[in-house]
Amino acid sequence: MAIFKRIFEVVERKNESFIFKCLLCLPQKHTISSFKNSPSNLKKHIERKHSSHLERYSALTAPRKRKAENPVPSTSRQLKLGETKIVNQTKVDNVVINFVIQSLQPFTVLEQPAFNALVQELQPNSRVMSRTTLRRKVEEGVQEMKRNIKQAMSSIEFIATTTDCWSARRRGFLGVTAHWVDPDSLKRCSVALACRRIKGPHTFDVLGSALNDIHCEFGIEKKIVRTTTDNGSNFIKAFREYGEQQQDENNNCASSETEEDACSDEDEQEEEGVDVDFIEVTPILMEDDGLQFQLPKHHRCACHLLNLVATVDAAKANSNDSYKRLSRSAFAKCSGLWNKTSRSSTASDIIEETCKIQLIRPNDTRWNSLFLSVERIVRIIKDEGEGALRTVCTALKLPMYCKPLVDAVLEGLQKRFKDMMAEPEFIAAAILLPKFKTAWTSDENLLNLGLAYIKDHLEEERPHQSPGNGSSASDDDDFFSSMKKTHGQESVKQLEGYLASKVDNKEILQSYPAVCKLSLKINTALPASAACERLFSTAGLIFSPRRARLDARNFENQLLLKLNKKYFSFR
Protein backbone atom coordinates (compact mmCIF):
# COMPACT_ATOMS: atom_id res chain seq x y z
CA MET A 1 0.00 0.00 0.00
CA ALA A 2 3.05 2.27 -0.05
CA ILE A 3 2.23 3.37 -3.60
CA PHE A 4 -0.87 5.23 -2.36
CA LYS A 5 0.86 7.29 0.34
CA ARG A 6 1.10 10.36 -1.89
CA ILE A 7 -2.65 10.47 -2.47
CA PHE A 8 -4.25 8.28 0.22
CA GLU A 9 -3.47 7.63 3.86
CA VAL A 10 -4.43 4.43 5.69
CA VAL A 11 -6.50 5.21 8.78
CA GLU A 12 -7.83 1.76 9.68
CA ARG A 13 -7.43 -1.90 8.71
CA LYS A 14 -10.20 -4.52 8.90
CA ASN A 15 -9.12 -8.05 8.01
CA GLU A 16 -8.38 -7.93 4.27
CA SER A 17 -9.75 -4.43 3.69
CA PHE A 18 -8.42 -0.95 4.40
CA ILE A 19 -10.01 2.41 5.19
CA PHE A 20 -8.21 5.20 3.32
CA LYS A 21 -8.35 8.97 3.83
CA CYS A 22 -8.07 11.01 0.64
CA LEU A 23 -5.34 13.63 0.97
CA LEU A 24 -6.64 15.50 -2.07
CA CYS A 25 -9.97 16.20 -0.33
CA LEU A 26 -8.37 18.00 2.62
CA PRO A 27 -9.38 19.98 4.63
CA GLN A 28 -12.61 17.99 4.17
CA LYS A 29 -12.41 14.47 5.56
CA HIS A 30 -13.38 11.77 3.07
CA THR A 31 -12.74 8.05 3.64
CA ILE A 32 -12.92 5.18 1.16
CA SER A 33 -13.02 1.46 1.83
CA SER A 34 -10.98 -0.80 -0.42
CA PHE A 35 -9.78 -4.40 -0.48
CA LYS A 36 -6.09 -5.12 -0.30
CA ASN A 37 -5.80 -6.61 -3.78
CA SER A 38 -8.59 -4.62 -5.47
CA PRO A 39 -8.20 -0.83 -5.23
CA SER A 40 -11.01 -0.14 -7.71
CA ASN A 41 -12.91 2.03 -5.21
CA LEU A 42 -9.91 4.33 -4.96
CA LYS A 43 -9.71 4.71 -8.74
CA LYS A 44 -13.45 5.46 -8.96
CA HIS A 45 -13.07 8.17 -6.30
CA ILE A 46 -10.24 9.78 -8.28
CA GLU A 47 -12.31 9.65 -11.49
CA ARG A 48 -15.36 11.25 -9.83
CA LYS A 49 -13.74 13.82 -7.55
CA HIS A 50 -10.22 14.46 -8.83
CA SER A 51 -10.19 13.69 -12.55
CA SER A 52 -7.17 15.96 -13.05
CA HIS A 53 -5.11 13.60 -10.89
CA LEU A 54 -6.14 10.42 -12.74
CA GLU A 55 -2.95 10.31 -14.80
CA ARG A 56 -0.87 10.70 -11.67
CA TYR A 57 -2.81 7.88 -9.96
CA SER A 58 -2.29 5.62 -12.96
CA ALA A 59 1.44 6.32 -12.93
CA LEU A 60 1.70 5.40 -9.27
CA THR A 61 -0.24 2.15 -9.67
CA ALA A 62 1.39 1.06 -12.92
CA PRO A 63 3.41 -2.19 -12.67
CA ARG A 64 7.10 -1.64 -12.23
CA LYS A 65 9.47 -2.41 -15.07
CA ARG A 66 11.79 -5.36 -14.83
CA LYS A 67 15.37 -4.79 -13.92
CA ALA A 68 18.14 -4.73 -16.49
CA GLU A 69 19.16 -8.03 -18.04
CA ASN A 70 22.65 -7.85 -16.52
CA PRO A 71 22.20 -6.40 -13.05
CA VAL A 72 25.13 -5.74 -10.75
CA PRO A 73 25.73 -8.92 -8.73
CA SER A 74 24.84 -8.64 -5.04
CA THR A 75 27.57 -9.06 -2.46
CA SER A 76 25.29 -10.99 -0.10
CA ARG A 77 24.53 -14.61 -0.91
CA GLN A 78 20.97 -15.86 -0.65
CA LEU A 79 20.63 -18.69 1.82
CA LYS A 80 19.50 -22.07 0.53
CA LEU A 81 16.58 -23.93 2.05
CA GLY A 82 17.68 -25.50 5.32
CA GLU A 83 20.90 -23.48 5.48
CA THR A 84 21.63 -21.47 8.65
CA LYS A 85 23.51 -18.18 8.80
CA ILE A 86 26.43 -18.35 11.22
CA VAL A 87 26.67 -15.37 13.59
CA ASN A 88 29.61 -14.88 15.91
CA GLN A 89 29.24 -14.76 19.69
CA THR A 90 29.81 -11.00 19.89
CA LYS A 91 26.89 -10.31 17.56
CA VAL A 92 24.65 -12.63 19.58
CA ASP A 93 25.62 -10.88 22.83
CA ASN A 94 24.88 -7.44 21.40
CA VAL A 95 21.49 -8.53 20.06
CA VAL A 96 20.59 -10.04 23.42
CA ILE A 97 21.58 -6.83 25.25
CA ASN A 98 19.52 -4.74 22.85
CA PHE A 99 16.55 -7.02 23.44
CA VAL A 100 16.84 -6.72 27.24
CA ILE A 101 17.28 -2.93 27.21
CA GLN A 102 14.79 -1.88 24.56
CA SER A 103 12.02 -4.23 25.71
CA LEU A 104 12.66 -3.39 29.40
CA GLN A 105 13.24 -7.03 30.34
CA PRO A 106 14.60 -8.07 33.73
CA PHE A 107 18.12 -9.46 33.71
CA THR A 108 16.74 -12.79 34.92
CA VAL A 109 15.34 -13.40 31.43
CA LEU A 110 18.79 -14.75 30.52
CA GLU A 111 18.27 -17.62 32.98
CA GLN A 112 14.88 -18.66 31.66
CA PRO A 113 15.02 -22.05 29.89
CA ALA A 114 12.66 -20.91 27.15
CA PHE A 115 14.90 -17.94 26.24
CA ASN A 116 18.02 -20.11 26.23
CA ALA A 117 16.23 -22.66 24.04
CA LEU A 118 15.26 -19.88 21.60
CA VAL A 119 18.85 -18.69 21.21
CA GLN A 120 20.20 -22.22 20.92
CA GLU A 121 17.65 -23.10 18.27
CA LEU A 122 18.52 -20.04 16.18
CA GLN A 123 22.28 -20.25 16.74
CA PRO A 124 23.33 -23.72 17.94
CA ASN A 125 27.01 -22.72 18.22
CA SER A 126 26.33 -19.75 20.52
CA ARG A 127 25.55 -19.43 24.20
CA VAL A 128 23.66 -16.94 26.37
CA MET A 129 25.76 -14.69 28.57
CA SER A 130 25.36 -14.72 32.36
CA ARG A 131 23.67 -12.00 34.39
CA THR A 132 27.06 -10.85 35.67
CA THR A 133 28.38 -10.43 32.14
CA LEU A 134 25.23 -8.57 31.12
CA ARG A 135 25.53 -6.20 34.07
CA ARG A 136 29.18 -5.52 33.20
CA LYS A 137 28.43 -4.87 29.52
CA VAL A 138 25.54 -2.56 30.43
CA GLU A 139 27.85 -0.59 32.73
CA GLU A 140 30.40 -0.28 29.92
CA GLY A 141 27.65 0.81 27.56
CA VAL A 142 26.47 3.50 29.99
CA GLN A 143 29.99 4.91 30.29
CA GLU A 144 30.33 5.12 26.51
CA MET A 145 26.86 6.67 26.24
CA LYS A 146 27.79 9.35 28.78
CA ARG A 147 30.98 10.11 26.89
CA ASN A 148 28.98 10.57 23.70
CA ILE A 149 26.49 12.84 25.46
CA LYS A 150 29.31 14.92 26.96
CA GLN A 151 30.90 15.24 23.54
CA ALA A 152 27.58 16.28 22.01
CA MET A 153 27.06 18.98 24.66
CA SER A 154 30.68 20.18 24.69
CA SER A 155 30.12 22.39 21.65
CA ILE A 156 26.73 23.68 22.84
CA GLU A 157 26.73 27.11 24.46
CA PHE A 158 23.23 27.18 25.98
CA ILE A 159 21.59 24.21 27.73
CA ALA A 160 18.38 23.88 29.78
CA THR A 161 17.51 21.16 32.28
CA THR A 162 14.37 19.86 33.93
CA THR A 163 14.22 17.99 37.21
CA ASP A 164 11.64 16.33 39.42
CA CYS A 165 11.36 13.80 42.24
CA TRP A 166 9.75 10.37 41.96
CA SER A 167 8.98 7.78 44.62
CA ALA A 168 8.24 4.09 44.01
CA ARG A 169 8.59 0.89 46.06
CA ARG A 170 9.60 2.94 49.11
CA ARG A 171 12.52 4.54 47.27
CA GLY A 172 13.07 8.10 46.10
CA PHE A 173 14.73 9.20 42.86
CA LEU A 174 15.79 12.50 41.30
CA GLY A 175 15.28 12.67 37.53
CA VAL A 176 17.19 15.15 35.35
CA THR A 177 16.90 15.78 31.61
CA ALA A 178 18.90 18.17 29.41
CA HIS A 179 17.71 20.07 26.34
CA TRP A 180 19.34 22.34 23.79
CA VAL A 181 18.77 23.78 20.33
CA ASP A 182 21.20 22.70 17.64
CA PRO A 183 22.77 25.93 16.30
CA ASP A 184 22.96 24.55 12.74
CA SER A 185 19.58 22.86 12.24
CA LEU A 186 17.75 24.86 14.98
CA LYS A 187 16.12 21.61 16.14
CA ARG A 188 15.66 20.83 19.83
CA CYS A 189 17.70 17.92 21.20
CA SER A 190 16.96 16.10 24.46
CA VAL A 191 18.76 13.56 26.63
CA ALA A 192 18.14 11.92 30.00
CA LEU A 193 21.03 12.66 32.35
CA ALA A 194 20.12 10.76 35.50
CA CYS A 195 17.52 9.07 37.62
CA ARG A 196 19.57 9.14 40.80
CA ARG A 197 18.60 7.46 44.08
CA ILE A 198 17.93 9.95 46.87
CA LYS A 199 18.10 8.61 50.42
CA GLY A 200 16.40 10.27 53.36
CA PRO A 201 14.02 13.23 53.25
CA HIS A 202 13.92 15.26 50.03
CA THR A 203 14.95 18.54 51.65
CA PHE A 204 16.09 21.56 49.66
CA ASP A 205 19.78 21.11 50.46
CA VAL A 206 19.77 17.42 49.51
CA LEU A 207 18.05 18.14 46.18
CA GLY A 208 20.29 21.12 45.44
CA SER A 209 23.47 19.15 46.13
CA ALA A 210 22.36 16.14 44.06
CA LEU A 211 21.29 18.34 41.15
CA ASN A 212 24.60 20.20 41.18
CA ASP A 213 26.52 16.90 41.24
CA ILE A 214 24.70 15.72 38.11
CA HIS A 215 25.34 19.01 36.31
CA CYS A 216 29.04 18.82 37.21
CA GLU A 217 29.27 15.18 36.15
CA PHE A 218 28.40 16.18 32.58
CA GLY A 219 30.35 19.47 32.72
CA ILE A 220 27.37 21.71 31.95
CA GLU A 221 27.03 23.65 35.21
CA LYS A 222 28.28 26.86 33.52
CA LYS A 223 26.14 26.44 30.40
CA ILE A 224 22.67 26.02 31.90
CA VAL A 225 20.41 29.00 31.25
CA ARG A 226 17.44 27.76 33.33
CA THR A 227 16.22 24.69 35.21
CA THR A 228 12.49 23.93 35.10
CA THR A 229 10.81 22.24 38.09
CA ASP A 230 7.36 21.89 39.57
CA ASN A 231 6.09 24.14 42.35
CA GLY A 232 7.24 21.91 45.21
CA SER A 233 8.39 23.90 48.22
CA ASN A 234 11.64 21.93 48.43
CA PHE A 235 12.66 22.85 44.86
CA ILE A 236 11.58 26.46 45.28
CA LYS A 237 13.66 26.82 48.44
CA ALA A 238 16.66 25.08 46.86
CA PHE A 239 16.77 27.63 44.06
CA ARG A 240 15.98 30.48 46.42
CA GLU A 241 18.99 29.56 48.56
CA TYR A 242 21.42 28.41 45.87
CA GLY A 243 19.98 29.85 42.66
CA GLU A 244 21.99 32.19 40.45
CA GLN A 245 19.97 35.36 41.02
CA GLN A 246 19.50 34.83 44.73
CA GLN A 247 23.15 33.89 45.12
CA ASP A 248 24.27 37.15 43.49
CA GLU A 249 21.98 39.17 45.73
CA ASN A 250 23.20 37.34 48.81
CA ASN A 251 26.81 37.87 47.80
CA ASN A 252 26.25 41.58 47.26
CA CYS A 253 24.48 41.93 50.58
CA ALA A 254 27.09 39.87 52.36
CA SER A 255 29.98 41.78 50.86
CA SER A 256 28.45 45.16 51.70
CA GLU A 257 27.68 44.08 55.24
CA THR A 258 31.19 42.72 55.65
CA GLU A 259 32.73 45.97 54.43
CA GLU A 260 30.58 48.02 56.78
CA ASP A 261 31.41 45.77 59.73
CA ALA A 262 35.11 45.86 58.90
CA CYS A 263 35.13 49.66 58.73
CA SER A 264 33.26 50.01 62.01
CA ASP A 265 35.61 47.54 63.73
CA GLU A 266 38.69 49.42 62.52
CA ASP A 267 37.28 52.75 63.74
CA GLU A 268 36.57 51.32 67.18
CA GLN A 269 40.01 49.76 67.43
CA GLU A 270 41.76 53.02 66.49
CA GLU A 271 39.76 55.01 69.02
CA GLU A 272 40.13 52.58 71.89
CA GLY A 273 43.65 51.36 71.05
CA VAL A 274 42.72 47.69 71.41
CA ASP A 275 45.32 45.14 70.28
CA VAL A 276 44.42 42.92 67.36
CA ASP A 277 44.35 39.15 68.01
CA PHE A 278 45.34 37.00 65.02
CA ILE A 279 43.59 33.64 64.61
CA GLU A 280 43.94 30.71 62.18
CA VAL A 281 41.22 31.04 59.51
CA THR A 282 41.91 27.78 57.64
CA PRO A 283 39.59 25.66 59.84
CA ILE A 284 36.86 28.27 59.47
CA LEU A 285 37.17 28.36 55.68
CA MET A 286 37.15 24.57 55.52
CA GLU A 287 33.81 24.33 57.32
CA ASP A 288 30.91 23.02 55.23
CA ASP A 289 28.42 25.88 55.07
CA GLY A 290 26.36 24.28 52.30
CA LEU A 291 27.11 27.06 49.80
CA GLN A 292 29.93 25.45 47.78
CA PHE A 293 27.77 25.23 44.69
CA GLN A 294 25.47 27.47 42.71
CA LEU A 295 22.34 26.39 40.86
CA PRO A 296 21.14 27.97 37.59
CA LYS A 297 18.16 30.29 37.22
CA HIS A 298 14.87 28.71 38.21
CA HIS A 299 11.72 28.40 36.10
CA ARG A 300 8.40 27.13 37.47
CA CYS A 301 6.55 24.56 35.39
CA ALA A 302 3.69 26.18 33.45
CA CYS A 303 1.68 22.94 33.46
CA HIS A 304 1.69 22.82 37.25
CA LEU A 305 0.62 26.47 37.39
CA LEU A 306 -2.26 25.68 35.02
CA ASN A 307 -3.17 22.75 37.23
CA LEU A 308 -3.48 25.13 40.19
CA VAL A 309 -5.64 27.45 38.08
CA ALA A 310 -7.92 24.56 37.06
CA THR A 311 -8.28 23.20 40.60
CA VAL A 312 -7.62 25.72 43.37
CA ASP A 313 -8.56 28.92 41.54
CA ALA A 314 -11.55 27.43 39.68
CA ALA A 315 -13.00 26.22 42.99
CA LYS A 316 -13.41 29.85 44.06
CA ALA A 317 -16.29 30.13 41.58
CA ASN A 318 -18.41 28.17 44.09
CA SER A 319 -18.73 31.36 46.12
CA ASN A 320 -21.49 32.31 43.66
CA ASP A 321 -24.67 30.53 44.87
CA SER A 322 -26.30 30.27 41.43
CA TYR A 323 -23.24 28.77 39.83
CA LYS A 324 -22.69 26.47 42.82
CA ARG A 325 -26.19 24.96 42.56
CA LEU A 326 -25.96 24.46 38.80
CA SER A 327 -22.42 23.12 38.99
CA ARG A 328 -23.18 20.56 41.69
CA SER A 329 -26.30 19.37 39.90
CA ALA A 330 -24.53 18.95 36.55
CA PHE A 331 -21.35 17.38 37.89
CA ALA A 332 -23.32 14.98 40.10
CA LYS A 333 -24.90 13.49 36.96
CA CYS A 334 -21.52 13.39 35.19
CA SER A 335 -19.89 11.72 38.17
CA GLY A 336 -22.61 9.08 38.18
CA LEU A 337 -21.77 8.20 34.57
CA TRP A 338 -18.03 8.19 35.21
CA ASN A 339 -18.34 5.99 38.29
CA LYS A 340 -20.72 3.57 36.59
CA THR A 341 -18.45 3.01 33.59
CA SER A 342 -15.40 2.50 35.80
CA ARG A 343 -17.07 -0.09 38.02
CA SER A 344 -19.21 -2.03 35.54
CA SER A 345 -18.00 -3.60 32.31
CA THR A 346 -21.62 -4.02 31.24
CA ALA A 347 -22.21 -0.27 31.50
CA SER A 348 -19.08 0.39 29.44
CA ASP A 349 -20.30 -2.00 26.75
CA ILE A 350 -23.70 -0.29 26.63
CA ILE A 351 -22.16 3.17 26.31
CA GLU A 352 -19.76 2.05 23.61
CA GLU A 353 -22.54 0.34 21.67
CA THR A 354 -24.93 3.29 21.96
CA CYS A 355 -22.55 6.25 21.76
CA LYS A 356 -19.87 4.60 19.56
CA ILE A 357 -17.29 6.08 21.89
CA GLN A 358 -16.18 5.65 25.50
CA LEU A 359 -16.23 8.28 28.22
CA ILE A 360 -13.13 9.91 29.66
CA ARG A 361 -12.68 9.92 33.43
CA PRO A 362 -11.16 12.95 35.18
CA ASN A 363 -7.69 12.65 36.64
CA ASP A 364 -6.63 14.84 39.55
CA THR A 365 -3.01 15.09 38.33
CA ARG A 366 -3.90 16.41 34.87
CA TRP A 367 -5.16 19.98 34.74
CA ASN A 368 -7.22 19.54 31.54
CA SER A 369 -8.75 16.13 32.29
CA LEU A 370 -11.99 17.49 33.74
CA PHE A 371 -12.52 19.68 30.72
CA LEU A 372 -11.89 16.77 28.34
CA SER A 373 -14.25 14.54 30.32
CA VAL A 374 -17.11 17.02 30.18
CA GLU A 375 -16.33 17.79 26.55
CA ARG A 376 -16.80 14.16 25.65
CA ILE A 377 -20.28 14.14 27.24
CA VAL A 378 -21.42 17.39 25.64
CA ARG A 379 -19.85 16.72 22.26
CA ILE A 380 -22.92 17.96 20.48
CA ILE A 381 -22.40 21.41 22.01
CA LYS A 382 -18.85 21.41 20.71
CA ASP A 383 -20.06 20.58 17.21
CA GLU A 384 -22.62 23.41 17.25
CA GLY A 385 -20.16 25.86 18.78
CA GLU A 386 -20.18 27.87 21.97
CA GLY A 387 -21.54 30.88 20.11
CA ALA A 388 -24.86 29.14 19.52
CA LEU A 389 -25.31 28.48 23.26
CA ARG A 390 -24.38 32.03 24.11
CA THR A 391 -26.87 33.38 21.56
CA VAL A 392 -29.70 31.30 23.04
CA CYS A 393 -28.91 32.46 26.58
CA THR A 394 -28.88 36.07 25.47
CA ALA A 395 -32.13 35.80 23.48
CA LEU A 396 -34.01 34.09 26.34
CA LYS A 397 -32.48 36.44 28.93
CA LEU A 398 -31.08 33.53 30.87
CA PRO A 399 -28.15 34.18 33.21
CA MET A 400 -24.89 32.68 31.99
CA TYR A 401 -24.05 30.68 35.09
CA CYS A 402 -20.52 29.92 34.00
CA LYS A 403 -19.44 33.58 34.28
CA PRO A 404 -18.23 33.11 37.91
CA LEU A 405 -16.08 30.20 36.70
CA VAL A 406 -14.67 32.27 33.84
CA ASP A 407 -13.91 35.13 36.22
CA ALA A 408 -12.25 32.76 38.71
CA VAL A 409 -10.09 31.16 36.03
CA LEU A 410 -9.06 34.53 34.58
CA GLU A 411 -8.21 35.78 38.05
CA GLY A 412 -6.14 32.65 38.67
CA LEU A 413 -4.26 33.03 35.39
CA GLN A 414 -3.49 36.63 36.23
CA LYS A 415 -2.26 35.70 39.69
CA ARG A 416 -0.14 32.72 38.61
CA PHE A 417 1.37 34.16 35.44
CA LYS A 418 1.44 37.91 36.16
CA ASP A 419 5.16 38.02 36.93
CA MET A 420 6.05 35.83 33.95
CA MET A 421 4.06 37.97 31.51
CA ALA A 422 5.92 41.08 32.70
CA GLU A 423 9.39 39.47 32.68
CA PRO A 424 11.50 41.26 30.00
CA GLU A 425 13.48 38.09 29.23
CA PHE A 426 10.32 36.10 28.49
CA ILE A 427 8.88 38.91 26.36
CA ALA A 428 12.15 39.05 24.42
CA ALA A 429 12.05 35.26 23.99
CA ALA A 430 8.64 35.51 22.32
CA ILE A 431 9.79 38.33 20.05
CA LEU A 432 12.83 36.34 18.94
CA LEU A 433 10.64 33.45 17.75
CA PRO A 434 9.98 34.13 14.05
CA LYS A 435 6.49 32.67 14.31
CA PHE A 436 5.44 35.37 16.80
CA LYS A 437 7.77 38.38 16.64
CA THR A 438 5.61 41.35 17.77
CA ALA A 439 2.25 40.05 16.52
CA TRP A 440 1.30 38.13 19.69
CA THR A 441 0.29 41.22 21.70
CA SER A 442 -0.95 44.75 21.10
CA ASP A 443 0.47 46.06 24.39
CA GLU A 444 3.18 48.50 23.35
CA ASN A 445 4.61 48.67 26.87
CA LEU A 446 5.27 44.92 26.89
CA LEU A 447 6.87 45.05 23.45
CA ASN A 448 9.07 47.98 24.47
CA LEU A 449 10.28 46.04 27.53
CA GLY A 450 11.20 43.08 25.36
CA LEU A 451 12.87 45.16 22.65
CA ALA A 452 14.89 47.06 25.25
CA TYR A 453 16.06 43.77 26.73
CA ILE A 454 17.07 42.52 23.28
CA LYS A 455 19.02 45.66 22.41
CA ASP A 456 20.88 45.65 25.73
CA HIS A 457 21.85 42.00 25.47
CA LEU A 458 22.72 42.19 21.79
CA GLU A 459 25.29 44.81 22.72
CA GLU A 460 26.63 42.57 25.47
CA GLU A 461 27.68 40.03 22.84
CA ARG A 462 30.22 42.45 21.28
CA PRO A 463 33.91 41.43 21.47
CA HIS A 464 35.85 42.96 24.34
CA GLN A 465 39.09 44.69 23.40
CA SER A 466 41.96 45.40 25.77
CA PRO A 467 44.12 48.52 25.33
CA GLY A 468 47.62 47.92 23.97
CA ASN A 469 50.88 49.21 25.34
CA GLY A 470 52.44 52.44 24.23
CA SER A 471 49.30 54.59 23.96
CA SER A 472 47.53 56.82 26.41
CA ALA A 473 44.32 55.74 28.14
CA SER A 474 42.36 58.55 26.58
CA ASP A 475 43.44 57.57 23.07
CA ASP A 476 42.55 53.94 23.73
CA ASP A 477 39.16 54.90 25.08
CA ASP A 478 38.40 56.99 22.04
CA PHE A 479 39.60 54.28 19.64
CA PHE A 480 37.72 51.36 21.19
CA SER A 481 34.59 53.36 21.90
CA SER A 482 34.23 53.96 18.16
CA MET A 483 34.59 50.21 17.55
CA LYS A 484 31.93 49.42 20.17
CA LYS A 485 29.58 51.97 18.69
CA THR A 486 29.99 50.46 15.21
CA HIS A 487 29.32 46.97 16.53
CA GLY A 488 26.25 48.13 18.42
CA GLN A 489 24.87 49.72 15.29
CA GLU A 490 25.42 46.50 13.37
CA SER A 491 23.49 44.51 15.99
CA VAL A 492 20.60 47.00 15.88
CA LYS A 493 20.52 46.73 12.08
CA GLN A 494 20.25 42.96 12.37
CA LEU A 495 17.36 43.32 14.81
CA GLU A 496 15.56 45.78 12.54
CA GLY A 497 16.04 43.49 9.55
CA TYR A 498 14.73 40.50 11.51
CA LEU A 499 11.60 42.36 12.67
CA ALA A 500 10.93 43.72 9.18
CA SER A 501 11.22 40.30 7.55
CA LYS A 502 7.92 38.64 6.65
CA VAL A 503 9.43 35.14 6.79
CA ASP A 504 8.13 33.27 9.86
CA ASN A 505 10.19 30.05 9.78
CA LYS A 506 13.04 29.53 12.22
CA GLU A 507 15.68 29.32 9.46
CA ILE A 508 15.44 33.10 9.04
CA LEU A 509 17.38 33.45 12.32
CA GLN A 510 20.54 32.18 10.64
CA SER A 511 20.55 35.30 8.46
CA TYR A 512 21.05 37.44 11.57
CA PRO A 513 23.87 35.88 13.68
CA ALA A 514 23.61 38.21 16.69
CA VAL A 515 19.83 37.82 16.88
CA CYS A 516 20.11 34.05 16.41
CA LYS A 517 22.61 33.69 19.26
CA LEU A 518 20.44 35.63 21.70
CA SER A 519 17.34 33.70 20.59
CA LEU A 520 19.09 30.40 21.28
CA LYS A 521 20.12 31.61 24.71
CA ILE A 522 16.72 32.74 25.96
CA ASN A 523 14.59 30.14 24.12
CA THR A 524 16.57 27.08 25.17
CA ALA A 525 14.72 26.79 28.50
CA LEU A 526 11.59 24.62 28.61
CA PRO A 527 8.31 26.11 29.95
CA ALA A 528 7.30 22.84 31.63
CA SER A 529 8.92 19.89 33.37
CA ALA A 530 6.99 17.31 31.34
CA ALA A 531 10.26 15.78 30.13
CA CYS A 532 10.91 14.44 33.63
CA GLU A 533 7.37 13.09 33.78
CA ARG A 534 8.03 11.10 30.61
CA LEU A 535 11.30 9.85 32.10
CA PHE A 536 9.43 8.59 35.17
CA SER A 537 6.78 6.94 32.95
CA THR A 538 9.47 4.76 31.42
CA ALA A 539 11.05 4.26 34.84
CA GLY A 540 7.77 2.88 36.15
CA LEU A 541 7.81 0.18 33.46
CA ILE A 542 11.25 -0.95 34.61
CA PHE A 543 10.79 -0.58 38.37
CA SER A 544 7.72 -2.81 38.52
CA PRO A 545 6.43 -4.58 41.66
CA ARG A 546 8.16 -7.79 40.62
CA ARG A 547 11.47 -5.93 40.34
CA ALA A 548 11.23 -4.03 43.62
CA ARG A 549 14.64 -5.32 44.72
CA LEU A 550 16.39 -3.99 41.61
CA ASP A 551 19.67 -2.28 42.45
CA ALA A 552 19.48 1.51 42.01
CA ARG A 553 22.59 1.57 39.83
CA ASN A 554 21.35 -1.15 37.49
CA PHE A 555 17.96 0.54 37.34
CA GLU A 556 19.45 3.89 36.31
CA ASN A 557 21.76 2.26 33.74
CA GLN A 558 18.93 0.38 32.06
CA LEU A 559 16.72 3.49 32.02
CA LEU A 560 19.39 5.77 30.53
CA LEU A 561 20.30 3.26 27.82
CA LYS A 562 16.62 2.94 26.93
CA LEU A 563 16.03 6.70 26.70
CA ASN A 564 19.37 7.66 25.12
CA LYS A 565 19.55 4.96 22.45
CA LYS A 566 20.42 7.68 19.94
CA TYR A 567 23.79 8.12 21.63
CA PHE A 568 24.69 4.45 21.93
CA SER A 569 23.68 1.07 20.59
CA PHE A 570 25.14 -2.39 21.00
CA ARG A 571 26.31 -3.61 17.59
Side-chain angles (χ1 to χ4, degrees), residues 518-534:
L518 183 58
S519 178
L520 290 177
K521 180 178 181 180
I522 60 180
N523 280 303
T524 296
L526 272 67
S529 59
C532 265
E533 300 291 342
R534 289 191 289 268

Side-chain angles (χ1 to χ4, degrees), residues 3 20 140 212 273 278 282 319 344 369 455 460 469 496 501 520 536-537:
I3 58 177
F20 291 88
E140 294 172 356
N212 179 75
F278 294 93
T282 302
S319 60
S344 172
S369 65
K455 293 177 181 178
E460 287 183 1
N469 296 328
E496 293 174 350
S501 174
L520 290 177
F536 294 144
S537 296

Side-chain angles (χ1 to χ4, degrees), residues 307-368:
N307 184 60
L308 293 175
V309 173
T311 54
V312 179
D313 297 330
K316 296 179 181 178
N318 289 324
S319 60
N320 184 284
D321 294 336
S322 300
Y323 169 79
K324 185 176 181 179
R325 287 193 301 269
L326 182 62
S327 173
R328 288 190 173 183
S329 175
F331 280 106
K333 299 175 182 177
C334 295
S335 298
L337 280 174
W338 294 328
N339 294 334
K340 195 69 174 179
T341 55
S342 64
R343 298 172 183 173
S344 172
S345 59
T346 304
S348 298
D349 294 339
I350 294 174
I351 291 178
E352 185 173 7
E353 181 180 355
T354 305
C355 304
K356 309 303 180 184
I357 194 171
Q358 278 290 1
L359 299 180
I360 300 177
R361 292 193 62 206
N363 188 337
D364 291 338
T365 60
R366 299 184 183 275
W367 66 271
N368 60 344

